[in-house]
Amino acid sequence: MTITELPRKQTAYKNKLKKIEQFVNAFQAVHETQDYIELPSKLNSINDILKELDNLQKDYCALPGKVELNNSMDILRDMEEDAEKFKVSILVFLSKYEEQKTENAKLSPKSHIKLPDLLLPTFSGKFQEFENSKTQFMSVIGNKDSLNESQKLMYLKSALKNEVALIQSDQDNFDSLLKALENRYENKKALVDIHIAGILSINKLHNENPTQIKSLIDTVRNHMRSLKNLKFESNSLSDAIILHILNNKIDKESQRLFQLSLTTTQVPSLQGFLSFLDVRCTQLESVIKSDFAAKSIPIKNKSTSGVNNSRWKSFLTKDKNKTSNAVESFSNQGQKACVICNQFKKHFVYICEMFLNHSPLKRYKLCKKHNICTNCLNFHPSKSCISKSRCQICSSFHNTKLHRDKTDVSIPSTAE
């Protein structure tokens, strides 16, 4: 470095120190101000300046002896002293800031909140629950250094229920009893068998019940997650087998809709199938809520409009006998047997299990046979229906439970 460059660098560092001096002198010791946030940055700057001043001093010393340094070395030493002084000031500020934070934490209202006592995790002997129970127990009791071995042993014995409490170990201490439990219940083969059996033993669904479908989804995902934790990763073959099993477990209508949702001949994924069931649950819940709202409208309010009254009268004129039978069926609903299942249960057609077990085409034919409205499934002519509900799938003038795919024989989209 030349003799002309050294003074310029010296001046630059001097200016930086001036800015730091201004910051230190103007520092406001207010909790959580921006000044506190800048302290670490200023401290780093001072450390960098000290290193550069040391290098600058070495550069001055490396100059030829005949070069006149004037008072440059004295200026550098003064700058180093100033930098060290500013560094100490910033460290003091930071120390006070940390002390204040600690003090505030002690005085915080949160520290005075008494949390409820944790219930001791228990284990009743189910293989699939052992790992989770063990993890919880070790976290709460087993890994506590404040407890001695005798205390841990007593806690462990009190956590064992049913036949598990009868297990004996080689020695009467905590580690020995825990080892005995691990030898008996950390049985990977038994766990895998349990989870596979859990999937295979899922009950078959006979109707479109969103609650039962949700239960199926949760059961499958729980067993699949447990198998993954046991290092049994799923693959395309296992997914295809499980999908085939589950497809035969769901109701026929859901099976049909799933097949219609497939756009290629490729084997669908298990996750795709479960996602379809998630959407299916949402749709069914929406339909049930919509239908229930429609059934909640009193029958006397369904003919307040003049237009609808004229339609009703016209229908009575054209087909008096047919209408009287429909009105009689409706008035006796809840007192007579259900026209679909012939059981003496007070229920609407849209929740009749026998009705739901039929295909959409068969349901449509039953509606026509028993003079049931194909839009709201109440006992009145479809043409006089004033319900604003429409098919949730195609928005046509028929109930969602009567919706059929275009490839099938179509159901009229307007009232007949």
Side-chain angles (χ1 to χ4, degrees):
M1 189 173 293
T2 64
I3 187 64
T4 57
E5 291 175 339
L6 290 173
R8 283 201 296 268
K9 291 192 70 174
Q10 180 177 303
T11 303
Y13 295 136
K14 190 172 184 178
N15 291 335
K16 288 183 179 180
L17 282 175
K18 279 285 186 185
K19 291 181 179 179
I20 293 176
E21 182 181 12
Q22 292 173 0
F23 172 83
V24 171
N25 292 335
F27 182 82
Q28 298 293 324
V30 181
H31 182 56
E32 292 185 350
T33 62
Q34 185 177 356
D35 290 342
Y36 277 112
I37 299 174
E38 294 182 11
L39 285 176
S41 175
K42 297 297 182 183
L43 187 61
N44 291 334
S45 297
I46 291 176
N47 289 329
D48 292 338
I49 291 173
L50 286 171
K51 291 179 182 178
E52 293 299 330
L53 290 177
D54 185 63
N55 293 333
L56 195 59
Q57 192 172 9
K58 291 178 182 178
D59 291 336
Y60 271 118
C61 293
L63 292 173
K66 60 182 180 180
V67 176
E68 183 63 34
L69 299 179
N70 297 327
N71 59 344
S72 297
M73 297 299 290
D74 294 332
I75 294 174
L76 285 176
R77 281 192 289 270
D78 292 338
M79 290 171 64
E80 285 182 342
E81 289 179 3
D82 290 338
E84 291 290 347
K85 182 176 67 175
F86 300 149
K87 182 177 180 179
V88 171
S89 298
I90 290 177
L91 288 173
V92 170
F93 293 151
L94 284 172
S95 177
K96 290 182 177 179
Y97 178 57
E98 293 299 327
E99 289 177 1
Q100 186 63 39
K101 283 179 62 178
T102 304
E103 190 66 23
N104 290 341
K106 291 180 180 179
L107 298 176
S108 174
K110 293 182 180 179
S111 61
H112 299 291
I113 297 175
K114 186 180 185 306
L115 297 175
D117 295 332
L118 291 174
L119 294 176
L120 188 66
T122 60
F123 177 59
S124 58
K126 294 183 179 180
F127 281 90
Q128 62 270 33
E129 295 177 357
F130 177 72
E131 192 62 34
N132 187 43
S133 298
K134 174 188 169 184
T135 301
Q136 291 180 1
F137 182 86
M138 293 303 294
S139 176
V140 176
I141 301 295
N143 296 329
K144 291 290 185 182
D145 296 332
S146 58
L147 299 175
N148 58 42
E149 292 299 308
S150 297
Q151 290 173 320
K152 292 179 182 179
L153 177 62
M154 295 304 296
Y155 277 121
L156 180 56
K157 286 184 176 181
S158 65
L160 304 179
K161 305 299 180 183
N162 303 333
E163 71 275 5
V164 190
L166 303 176
I167 292 179
Q168 299 296 320
S169 56
D170 296 335
Q171 301 176 20
D172 192 22
N173 58 48
F174 172 74
D175 290 334
S176 180
L177 181 56
L178 182 62
K179 186 67 176 177
L181 291 169
E182 290 173 345
N183 290 338
R184 180 171 298 188
Y185 291 102
E186 284 187 346
N187 187 330
K188 197 170 186 178
K189 178 182 178 301
L191 288 172
V192 172
D193 289 343
I194 288 171
H195 292 303
I196 293 177
I199 296 175
L200 296 177
S201 62
I202 293 175
N203 294 328
K204 182 174 177 58
L205 310 184
H206 296 287
N207 52 42
E208 304 164 77
N209 188 316
T211 303
Q212 293 179 355
I213 296 177
K214 277 184 179 179
S215 177
L216 181 147
I217 296 171
D218 293 339
T219 300
V220 172
R221 284 178 172 159
N222 179 54
H223 288 304
M224 294 298 292
R225 182 171 58 250
S226 298
L227 287 170
K228 186 176 181 180
N229 291 337
L230 291 169
K231 310 302 180 186
F232 279 81
E233 297 288 344
S234 61
N235 54 42
S236 56
L237 176 59
S238 64
D239 281 2
I241 294 173
I242 295 174
L243 191 153
H244 177 78
I245 294 170
L246 296 179
N247 189 52
N248 290 325
K249 298 286 187 179
I250 61 177
D251 61 277
K252 292 182 179 180
E253 181 64 11
S254 296
Q255 290 179 12
R256 188 181 72 86
L257 291 176
F258 176 64
Q259 294 301 323
L260 292 174
S261 70
L262 303 178
T263 57
T264 68
T265 57
Q266 297 296 320
V267 178
S269 67
L270 177 60
Q271 290 304 320
F273 177 74
L274 295 177
S275 297
F276 162 79
L277 291 182
D278 282 327
V279 175
R280 181 82 173 126
C281 282
T282 304
Q283 292 175 340
L284 289 173
E285 288 173 341
S286 177
V287 169
I288 290 174
K289 290 178 182 178
S290 176
D291 287 348
F292 183 78
K295 307 306 178 293
S296 301
I297 302 175
I299 190 66
K300 63 181 181 180
N301 293 335
K302 291 192 175 184
S303 59
T304 55
S305 166
V307 176
N308 289 325
N309 277 332
S310 62
R311 288 183 179 179
W312 180 255
K313 291 176 182 178
S314 174
F315 184 84
L316 288 175
T317 304
K318 292 180 180 179
D319 200 346
K320 183 176 181 180
N321 293 331
K322 183 177 179 181
T323 306
S324 61
N325 291 336
V327 174
E328 181 182 359
S329 298
F330 180 79
S331 62
N332 291 331
Q333 188 178 10
Q335 299 176 2
K336 297 176 64 177
C338 172
V339 296
I340 305 297
C341 64
N342 293 322
Q343 294 185 17
F344 287 89
K345 293 182 179 179
K346 187 175 181 180
H347 58 235
F348 293 107
V349 171
Y350 77 97
I351 59 173
C352 175
E353 289 190 7
M354 181 174 289
F355 180 77
L356 295 176
N357 285 336
H358 288 304
S359 67
L361 178 58
K362 179 65 174 177
R363 296 173 192 167
Y364 177 76
K365 291 180 178 179
L366 286 171
C367 288
K368 304 305 292 182
K369 177 181 177 181
H370 296 288
N371 301 322
I372 299 171
C373 175
T374 56
N375 184 51
C376 69
L377 301 185
N378 261 320
F379 288 85
H380 62 246
S382 299
K383 286 186 177 181
S384 64
C385 182
I386 63 170
S387 172
K388 295 182 180 180
S389 297
R390 295 294 183 268
C391 177
Q392 299 288 326
I393 299 174
C394 66
S395 301
S396 296
F397 190 85
H398 60 248
N399 194 276
T400 309
K401 290 181 171 55
L402 305 182
H403 177 82
R404 304 181 67 224
D405 188 66
K406 292 182 180 179
T407 57
D408 300 328
V409 179
S410 62
I411 290 177
S413 60
T414 57
E416 291 184 353

